[in-house]
Amino acid sequence: MAEIKKLLNEESLNEVDHEILEESVGNVKKHNMYISGPFLQSTSRNRNGRIYPKKLIEREVNQFNSLIESREALGELNHPTDRAEIDPREAAIRITYLQMDNELAMGKALVLNTRNGKELQALLEGGCKMGVSSRGTGNLLEDNVVADDFHLI
């Protein structure tokens, strides 16, 4: 029987920056908001008391890039308590970039023109400090080190 993995939600202590970019599709110009900054942390104990080994985060970032390439890398405004999967109806961002920079995975995401995306944009424009948190499934080893079975969602 397969071992059931735990849902691991992580909150970031790091604030993300935001910017408005004018982008064109054909003759149509549009102003889009993007957020950027640290999306994941490795090596050090995080806000939830867990330690993600750097090789584990590097592996997951590399695998996650296939979702970015297929434009399926969505993020929600909050972590749901009842499910691990991303619900597109709750999406606020679409991640467009994620790469390792030392112990951090630095990312960039388009703020979507959805109910939650508009709420996120209003919070950022209002000067609220926002961060990106991660969600995945996996187990914990001794001293709250995340096991190699971790999978970033």
Side-chain angles (χ1 to χ4, degrees):
M1 184 171 166
E3 184 178 348
I4 296 175
K5 294 181 182 181
K6 296 177 183 171
L7 178 62
L8 303 175
N9 293 324
E10 302 302 340
E11 297 179 28
S12 174
L13 286 174
N14 302 306
E15 184 176 356
V16 293
D17 295 322
H18 68 281
E19 62 183 341
I20 306 282
L21 298 177
E22 183 177 89
E23 299 176 316
S24 297
V25 178
N27 293 334
V28 179
K29 290 185 180 180
K30 188 174 182 183
H31 291 89
N32 290 317
M33 178 180 278
Y34 285 85
I35 58 172
S36 60
F39 279 35
L40 295 157
Q41 171 186 325
S42 70
T43 310
S44 304
R45 193 170 301 279
N46 68 16
R47 190 174 184 174
N48 292 340
R50 298 185 190 111
I51 299 171
Y52 287 79
K54 185 175 181 182
K55 288 189 182 295
L56 178 66
I57 295 297
E58 288 173 335
R59 180 194 75 203
E60 290 303 306
V61 164
N62 287 336
Q63 290 178 359
F64 194 79
N65 272 286
S66 66
L67 291 175
I68 293 172
E69 290 169 16
S70 65
R71 302 171 69 96
E72 298 174 87
L74 301 176
E76 299 182 22
L77 193 54
N78 284 312
H79 289 297
T81 57
D82 59 341
R83 62 184 160 75
E85 303 80 22
I86 302 293
D87 183 349
R89 294 171 298 185
E90 298 297 322
I93 61 172
R94 181 174 54 83
I95 300 164
T96 60
Y97 173 86
L98 189 64
Q99 293 296 323
M100 291 300 295
D101 183 8
N102 296 315
E103 277 73 44
L104 297 173
M106 302 299 287
K108 184 175 181 177
L110 169 67
V111 177
L112 298 170
N113 189 26
T114 61
R115 174 179 44 88
N116 285 332
K118 290 175 184 175
E119 191 170 329
L120 174 59
Q121 184 167 345
L123 290 166
L124 290 167
E125 287 174 345
C128 296
K129 180 179 175 180
M130 303 297 288
V132 173
S133 56
S134 64
R135 182 169 23 168
T137 57
N139 289 295
L140 298 174
L141 304 172
E142 186 176 321
D143 199 31
N144 261 359
V145 174
V146 177
D148 194 51
D149 67 350
F150 175 76
H151 175 67
L152 181 64
I153 298 173

